[in-house]
Amino acid sequence: MADGRGHPQPGDLIEIDRKVYQHWVLYVGDGYVIHVTDDEGAPSFLGSSSSVSAAMAKVKKQLLKEVAGNHKWRVNNKYDRFCTPRPVEEIIRRAERWVDMEVPYGLLTNNCEHFVTMLRYKVGVSQQVLKALTVAAGALLLLLL
């Protein structure tokens, strides 16, 4: 595994560092994760030109080492401070139901982080989208001044 931090447990959220974004997956055990991808298996957040323009993405179950590749990853259940996770068995059961299904995809409202947080907490959240929108709003404000 590439620079993994922590020992993932079933139901954990894993954040994988990419060049300009983080790809989020849900650990389901035995080295496997479930995540939102494009048709070729690339992470659906600027992973390929088709994932940016497509309105649909696929849910896949793959080995964490294949999804992470040479990128650093870490267990990151950061929303546990604010939200109560579902029971682990329920998280895994719900995640497994999505495998091989197509799901709506949108950078701002239905990305990989939204998907895995919805499975773990019942609500989809993406802090990286909030950060990007804050930076964009700040840049716009500077242009207007």
Side-chain angles (χ1 to χ4, degrees):
M1 277 184 224
D3 270 342
R5 278 201 275 152
H7 300 283
Q9 299 298 310
D12 280 344
L13 301 181
I14 297 178
E15 181 180 16
I16 302 169
D17 292 334
R18 301 289 192 212
K19 289 183 181 180
V20 294
Y21 69 98
Q22 286 72 45
H23 182 57
W24 289 81
V25 301
L26 177 77
Y27 188 77
V28 294
D30 296 324
Y32 283 90
V33 297
I34 291 177
H35 66 125
V36 176
T37 70
D38 68 10
D39 290 334
E40 291 79 42
S44 277
F45 189 102
L46 303 177
S48 72
S49 59
S50 64
S51 68
V52 173
S53 61
M56 299 298 285
K58 193 160 192 174
V59 177
K60 290 196 176 184
K61 182 176 182 178
Q62 296 178 286
L63 288 169
L64 172 59
K65 65 182 180 181
E66 292 174 0
V67 177
N70 292 325
H71 298 276
K72 291 182 180 181
W73 62 267
R74 73 194 69 54
V75 172
N76 190 347
N77 297 318
K78 64 184 176 182
Y79 299 112
D80 284 6
R81 294 175 283 178
F82 313 107
C83 301
T84 302
R86 293 177 167 153
V88 172
E89 299 79 20
E90 183 179 347
I91 294 170
I92 304 306
R93 185 177 62 249
R94 288 176 176 275
E96 293 281 355
R97 287 184 192 154
W98 287 100
V99 173
D100 293 328
M101 293 182 69
E102 286 194 351
V103 296
Y105 178 80
L107 290 175
L108 301 178
T109 58
N110 289 314
N111 66 38
C112 58
E113 188 177 5
H114 288 109
F115 179 74
V116 297
T117 56
M118 180 269 303
L119 292 170
R120 184 170 172 88
Y121 304 110
K122 299 181 189 174
V123 62
V125 179
S126 180
Q127 192 174 31
Q128 65 183 334
V129 168
L130 297 174
K131 285 181 185 177
L133 291 174
T134 301
V135 169
L140 180 60
L141 183 60
L142 287 175
L143 288 174
L144 296 173
L145 294 177

